[in-house]
Amino acid sequence: MSGNLYVVAAPSGAGKTTLVRMLLAEEGSVHLSISFTTRAPRPGEQDGREYHFVSVDRFRSMIAGDEFLEWAEVHGNFYGTSKKWIGDQLAAGHDVLLEIDWQGAQQVRKLFPAAIGVFILPPSMDELSRRLTGRGTDAQDVIERRLAAAEAEMRHVGEFDYAIINDQLDQALQDLRAIVRSSRLSPGKQRLQHPALFSRLL
Ligand code: 5GP
């Protein structure tokens, strides 16, 4: 594979989607994988933009057809990454970013040991609690269940190459940008950008 594969995971409330969106706005050469999901679209979400929204039957037939690079059940819905799309992007030399959960990240790591895993964390459990409380419309037990689920997800941080603390959004974005930049500086990657120079050297 010549492009870099970034796997970004986080518990809800860590600000992953915002961070990734900001990174992609700057780094046009990083292509975001659009996952398939069986969950219903949320208000404002569009089929083919946030997700490819499919039925459970269609999802199952895609599993049977070996169409997923990875898939997992998260919070009662199925989510999966298209094997063909990823393969085509990487083969064309594009960098690809997957926004998936830790279970999917484990599967991707087995298939692509060179994948770069990034886990985004809130600065503290108290802050996460504040973020999950949000508009204050949810019952306390619902919030506590979400917090416990988030903590269980966060225990997988050690399986990732990098941990970003999203306290100040600007700082977290700089950290994410630094990971993307440095991953492009290995001699093998530089060779792709500077073939004339590196053909003499490697
Ligand atoms: P949401 O429904 O809030 O968009 O996403 C719920 C969780 O599913 C998030 O942790 C998100 O990263 C994860 N997710 C989204 N797409 C995929 C996917 O293709 N595979 C896996 N394993 N998880 C995914």
Side-chain angles (χ1 to χ4, degrees):
M1 104 186 176
S2 45
N4 283 319
L5 182 56
Y6 303 101
V7 179
V8 181
S12 54
K16 174 178 67 167
T17 307
T18 307
L19 258 178
V20 166
R21 205 177 297 142
M22 290 170 86
L23 176 81
L24 296 177
E26 287 179 3
E27 299 280 349
S29 60
V30 179
H31 297 216
L32 178 68
S33 164
I34 311 293
S35 297
F36 287 78
T37 185
T38 60
R39 88 150 159 74
R42 295 186 185 127
E45 287 184 336
Q46 256 177 42
D47 187 35
R49 191 178 65 186
E50 282 78 14
Y51 286 102
H52 300 289
F53 295 98
V54 294
S55 66
V56 174
D57 279 352
R58 169 96 177 97
F59 198 94
R60 286 195 199 286
S61 78
M62 291 180 76
I63 295 173
D66 198 24
E67 292 183 46
F68 291 123
L69 180 72
E70 62 75 34
W71 65 272
E73 189 176 343
V74 187
H75 310 314
N77 294 301
F78 292 117
Y79 295 84
T81 303
S82 164
K83 187 185 269 185
K84 182 175 182 327
W85 189 85
I86 301 293
D88 290 349
Q89 295 293 319
L90 292 176
H94 298 149
D95 290 345
V96 169
L97 190 147
L98 308 183
E99 242 191 285
I100 60 179
D101 86 319
W102 62 270
Q103 305 173 84
Q106 282 186 349
Q107 297 172 57
V108 170
R109 212 171 289 121
K110 280 192 197 131
L111 295 167
F112 295 99
I116 298 153
V118 181
F119 201 92
I120 299 169
L121 291 168
S124 67
M125 294 311 289
D126 280 351
E127 175 59 18
L128 182 64
S129 173
R130 270 191 290 276
R131 291 182 191 176
L132 289 181
T133 309
R135 289 160 295 212
T137 49
D138 293 312
Q140 190 58 30
D141 63 324
V142 173
I143 294 165
E144 270 163 26
R145 240 182 294 132
R146 272 195 219 146
L147 258 182
E151 190 171 348
E153 289 172 34
M154 286 158 67
R155 292 212 187 90
H156 292 273
V157 63
E159 299 162 17
F160 289 72
D161 301 296
Y162 299 99
I164 292 180
I165 311 297
N166 187 10
D167 186 4
Q168 300 295 325
L169 191 59
D170 283 357
Q171 181 60 50
L173 179 61
Q174 274 189 41
D175 291 344
L176 188 55
R177 202 188 285 139
I179 293 166
V180 170
R181 293 262 169 97
S182 61
S183 70
R184 292 175 175 161
L185 301 180
S186 67
K189 298 290 177 195
Q190 288 285 40
R191 180 185 177 178
L192 299 170
Q193 299 302 319
H194 305 278
L197 173 64
F198 276 80
S199 65
R200 304 164 63 102
L201 308 174
L202 291 180

